[in-house]
Amino acid sequence: TGKSIAILKGHTDWVFGAKVLPDGRILSWSKDETLQIWDGKTGKSIAILNRLWRNGVGPIHMVPLGE
């Protein structure tokens, strides 16, 4: 329908991208140098990886386990 189903609040700078994981969680990365994992049903942050990269997190590529 094009309508928002949730607003994920937590990043403090531009969000570069987001991906829905196979289990329904959402992975997002930002110029604020964090990567966050969100509960896809509630929109709440589950985990934050802080300050692991300078000037933001670059592209994210997913590889299924076992491949």
Side-chain angles (χ1 to χ4, degrees):
T1 65
K3 291 185 179 183
S4 296
I5 57 171
I7 297 173
L8 307 176
K9 294 183 179 182
H11 288 293
T12 59
D13 210 328
W14 295 7
V15 173
F16 291 141
K19 291 189 184 239
V20 178
L21 303 175
D23 63 4
R25 293 177 298 166
I26 300 166
L27 176 68
S28 63
W29 54 98
S30 167
K31 188 176 179 183
D32 68 5
E33 301 177 2
T34 66
L35 187 145
Q36 293 199 39
I37 300 174
W38 308 85
D39 182 307
K41 292 181 181 175
T42 67
K44 294 185 180 184
S45 179
I46 298 170
I48 301 171
L49 297 173
N50 287 305
R51 311 279 185 256
L52 299 177
W53 307 267
R54 289 189 174 194
N55 301 317
V57 179
I60 302 289
H61 301 279
M62 307 295 287
V63 178
L65 290 174
E67 292 189 21

